[in-house]
Amino acid sequence: MSSVFDKPLQSSPVPGPSKLFAQLNTSAASHFGPPLHRQLLSQSAHEQLDCLLFQFLPAEIRGQIFALVLVDYEDPAAARQYSKDTCWTRPSYASPRKTDTALLQTCRSIYKETWFLPFVLKEQTHWITGHDRAPPEYDLQKAKRSLRQCVNEIKRDHEEKVVEIDSLRIFTQMFMLEDDKLAEFLEQFPDLSFRRLFITIRHADFWFWEDDEPLRFEGEWIPRVCRALPPTVREVIIEMETVKRKSMQLDDIANQMGQRWHFRTKDGKALFADSTANSHEVSSWQGSSIWHRQRWVRDEISNGIIEYYVGSVRFKPRHVVERAGGTVSDEALGAAASEEFVKGVHMKLHLPNRAIVLHVNVAGE
């Protein structure tokens, strides 16, 4: 997949993953026989009798070493930096991420053990948003085709039914999330397993952020997403961002989320958040106040600068939450005990806390 792997040196005797995946169906090799990488994998490698790496280290240890070498990172090249006046430029996403594949160019033995690792190790990041809210090189439909191609290739060469990666991160707008676009994405890849799912809602992804409306987060999209969550999922992280002056609103939404929501994988394993008040992770960062050639003076803390406030709610197995000293709410446990998700007010996180308001009204009648 061209967006996943960095192009190898032209002098390399062994193709890197960028060339390997981007040209699977368009290169000359695909017209006259198997793709080049598959030809390489079908040939015997040198025994490496003089190589200490292969003679004394088991494959598991070699794999850990190779994984450290092949971790992805932000491209430091000045020409690759995103404009600061966009909604996709943020910490860890100041430029496209890349993977150095020089390791794959050393010998056929290493290539056979590592050719798929840049894809498996890289956090799969996708933007289920409008075109103006994703990096210029990203196209959702092309990204899905490339992802399908990669998964199929790895399954074929490893003779596996599924491909397992560490994490999947989705940047999405609220209206697309509520319109089940995340669920539709996951349903297209039932053979892609992951351990962690990050769902990121940025300041400009909330409903009517332009009008400065109070934050809200409705969860009727959760049941369909859960039906597509692979059994390998150990954690779902919902990351929400707003401007600093609305930090108390975000904290309120996060507390409601921890109290009421839960996730479950397709095999029925429930994931809960710590319901202890203000137990969610928080951080902040500063960025440009200009977007779409408009300056949002309303939210500035200084000339041209907005301070963003980020809160993350993590959903994990109950024993993991409690072992860390957290508490799972009775409300979330009760909802998880039901065979089916029950849609209702508990899925809608509003300000003020609508569930509390309803409770007060009923009690006063």
Side-chain angles (χ1 to χ4, degrees):
M1 179 162 64
S2 58
S3 62
V4 174
F5 305 118
D6 194 40
K7 188 174 182 180
L9 299 173
Q10 293 298 316
S11 59
S12 168
V14 181
S18 176
K19 194 171 183 179
L20 180 156
F21 286 117
Q23 301 180 359
L24 280 176
N25 297 319
T26 59
S27 67
S30 66
H31 291 296
F32 299 102
L36 181 56
H37 89 280
R38 211 177 300 159
Q39 296 179 39
L40 288 168
L41 293 172
S42 67
Q43 299 174 25
S44 299
H46 190 278
E47 294 186 8
Q48 300 291 354
L49 297 177
D50 297 326
C51 178
L52 300 180
L53 182 67
F54 283 94
Q55 291 303 310
F56 293 99
L57 291 182
E60 293 78 8
I61 301 300
R62 291 199 302 272
Q64 294 178 31
I65 296 173
F66 295 154
L68 293 174
V69 176
L70 294 170
V71 68
D72 65 308
Y73 57 95
E74 292 176 276
D75 192 332
R80 299 284 284 164
Q81 302 303 297
Y82 295 140
S83 167
K84 296 184 182 302
D85 300 333
T86 72
C87 67
W88 56 83
T89 303
R90 57 197 304 102
S92 299
Y93 295 91
S95 65
R97 300 188 70 82
K98 63 179 291 185
T99 301
D100 284 330
T101 57
L103 176 67
L104 279 70
Q105 303 168 12
T106 53
C107 68
R108 197 185 308 275
S109 294
I110 288 181
Y111 186 84
K112 286 190 172 186
E113 292 192 9
T114 62
W115 71 271
F116 60 95
L117 286 180
F119 171 77
V120 172
L121 295 172
K122 184 182 187 299
E123 179 182 82
Q124 280 292 315
T125 304
H126 296 275
W127 285 262
I128 303 179
T129 65
H131 292 297
D132 61 344
R133 295 166 189 260
E137 76 276 2
Y138 184 84
D139 179 272
L140 179 59
Q141 298 308 316
K142 291 181 180 178
K144 288 194 291 187
R145 288 195 294 270
S146 295
L147 180 57
R148 167 48 56 206
Q149 193 168 284
C150 289
V151 170
N152 287 346
E153 278 297 306
I154 295 175
K155 283 169 53 181
R156 180 184 300 113
D157 288 319
H158 284 245
E159 299 182 349
E160 298 285 351
K161 293 183 178 180
V162 298
V163 173
E164 189 168 325
I165 62 175
D166 180 65
S167 59
L168 173 66
R169 180 181 293 274
I170 303 293
F171 290 95
T172 187
Q173 293 173 258
M174 194 70 76
F175 85 92
M176 287 195 170
L177 185 63
E178 294 180 3
D179 196 33
D180 287 330
K181 299 304 181 184
L182 171 57
E184 291 175 4
F185 180 94
L186 296 176
E187 289 165 356
Q188 294 179 54
F189 299 96
D191 49 356
L192 180 65
S193 292
F194 45 89
R195 299 177 184 87
R196 296 182 297 165
L197 172 63
F198 291 87
I199 303 172
T200 300
I201 303 292
R202 300 161 297 185
H203 165 56
D205 295 328
F206 275 98
W207 281 110
F208 305 117
W209 67 275
E210 307 96 324
D211 302 325
D212 202 26
E213 286 202 3
L215 301 182
R216 69 176 188 263
F217 205 152
E218 302 195 354
E220 294 191 347
W221 52 273
I222 293 177
R224 186 171 172 183
V225 165
C226 288
R227 289 193 292 271
L229 284 183
T232 53
V233 172
R234 295 292 179 268
E235 190 173 18
V236 174
I237 304 96
I238 298 184
E239 184 179 73
M240 300 171 286
E241 173 191 89
T242 188
V243 291
K244 184 69 174 180
R245 62 183 175 80
K246 299 175 80 169
S247 61
M248 292 182 66
Q249 291 188 29
L250 192 145
D251 288 340
D252 193 338
I253 294 293
N255 286 332
Q256 292 184 50
M257 188 179 294
Q259 188 74 25
R260 303 188 207 164
W261 284 9
H262 77 282
F263 288 81
R264 64 180 73 167
T265 57
K266 64 174 63 176
D267 65 342
K269 180 174 71 271
L271 304 174
F272 302 96
D274 184 354
S275 63
T276 307
N278 298 320
S279 60
H280 52 282
E281 300 173 4
V282 298
S283 62
S284 62
W285 66 283
Q286 296 181 0
S288 172
S289 64
I290 299 174
W291 186 48
H292 276 188
R293 297 177 297 278
Q294 180 175 349
R295 179 178 167 187
W296 294 88
V297 179
R298 176 192 69 193
D299 300 318
E300 289 184 348
I301 60 168
S302 60
N303 187 24
I305 299 297
I306 290 178
E307 183 170 4
Y308 294 99
Y309 182 80
V310 182
S312 299
V313 180
R314 294 178 175 269
F315 293 83
K316 307 176 183 180
R318 179 181 180 179
H319 72 275
V320 175
V321 174
E322 294 178 341
R323 186 180 298 165
T327 302
V328 176
S329 73
D330 291 338
E331 184 174 358
L333 288 171
S338 174
E339 292 186 6
E340 299 291 337
F341 277 91
V342 178
K343 296 182 179 181
V345 67
H346 68 285
M347 301 287 281
K348 303 176 184 293
L349 313 181
H350 287 252
L351 299 172
N353 189 332
R354 184 177 297 177
I356 293 177
V357 173
L358 289 175
H359 178 75
V360 170
N361 287 341
V362 171
E365 289 179 350

